[in-house]
Amino acid sequence: MCGISGYFSRSTQPAASQVMLALYAQQHRGQESCGIAVSDGKKLRLHKEMGYVKEAFSIQTLEKLSGFAAIGHVRYPTRGASAICNTQPYLIETLSGPIYAIASNGDIVNYDEIANELRVKGVHFSSKNDGELLGRFIVYHHEREGMEIVDAIKLLMKRIKGAYSSVFLTREALYAFRDIQGFRPMMFGRVGDDIAIASESCALDILRAREMREMKPGEIEVITRRSERSIDTEQQPLLGNTPPRLRHCVFELIYFARPDSTQFDEYVYDVRHKIGAKLAEHDDFEADVVVPVPDSANFIAMGYANAKNLPMHLALIRNHYVGRTFIRPDQYTRDESVRQKFNPLKDFFTGKRVVLVDDSMVRGTTIRKLVRMVKGAGAAEVHLRIGSPPVRYSCYYGIDTPTRGELIANRMSIEDIRTYLDADSLKYLTIEDLQTCVHDSSHFCYACFDGNYPLPRDTQRLIREKEERQTTSG
Ligand code: AMP
């Protein structure tokens, strides 16, 4: 998972600083690396580093990135190793110098097919990242086949399958485009006469943007100093007569997005609140307190507590300086960092019947440690409620999930998971209940819960590859 941003300044606002602010607001979407590319009309400049936005972009660094249009990226790897060569944005060199850059959030399912096609035509890649693939596809068709950039993007939408919310920068223009099924979020807004693009609305709020709207799936925005054009490719015959079904990622609403964002026409906090209330509908046991796993389950727990008229307490304290435990490379370091990340309030849990709420369970690492911690702190009972259906399948559209075999719900029955976690009871949200928490449930992808992949043919190959890699690497 990643976050992107783009900014076109027609005012005195330096574009790179605005992009930095937008990336900072989206740091939750990726902490591994970050970067900004900027155009001053003559050439493009790029700065990228491993690590956090605030550390990578000092005032001095930003001063060197002067220009009126910029794009940026925060990365949380789904494809390609954790290395600087896989970070974004990508600058694409041509005979005229580095005059294109791209940043993208998503995952391409027919990556190998398209990359091989381009390689045969003499295109070289410096990474295994899907952002570079999109950029090289556009530049190849523009530079070598003489296509307008917009037409190259339309062709890309026809040929490249998967999830991509992308920003593409030239010396004069900023392009923003989103895949035709709308897997990943992408917002558009105005700051005076300037244009701002971001993965999440919370980033545009920080820039004080107005007229905010979600970019349409299949939409292309072209912004220059003098003009602004929105092309709705759903209307283009290029994509066929029937527009494809929308497949917004429902996991964004459950876990990934910030609760103050609006996404896929939903208030994220509101969906989480509804999820909590739904979970509560099925319970009728006596409990004393509802405790969320902070921060991602806070609103779910609140929805549960309100529906049950129970007190909710933030009784597990999270150390915000411990990064994501999820992406640690081995089980031992994952276990250790969960212990470092959470600590229970002293004497709070003694004798209490606790409803412990988390947004999701993937490998079961976090919650197993937490049940033990809460019981160790004296809780009489721990009833575990999970705000998502069991995660049984890997995601191939932009969320980093381990292989199927590592997913606890794929390996065990719910009763076995309960026993393994040593919880007094365990309930997950059902897919049907989740569907009642959004306005139009047919617009969402539930593949990580039901294995019903939106792009079945290409995804099957990726599943095989991922499983084989795991078998061969042990
Ligand atoms: P696990 O400990 O492996 O069961 O991971 C579940 C915890 O990680 C939950 O508390 C979630 O808040 C969080 N989580 C779920 N999915 C992801 C993901 N794709 N990337 C990072 N964190 C995640």
Side-chain angles (χ1 to χ4, degrees), residues 76 251 255 296 324 326 358-366 399-400:
Y76 177 55
F251 206 69
Y255 166 71
S296 45
R324 287 248 157 116
F326 191 86
D358 203 354
D359 59 276
S360 59
M361 211 194 300
V362 181
R363 297 182 182 93
T365 311
T366 314
I399 298 257
D400 176 45

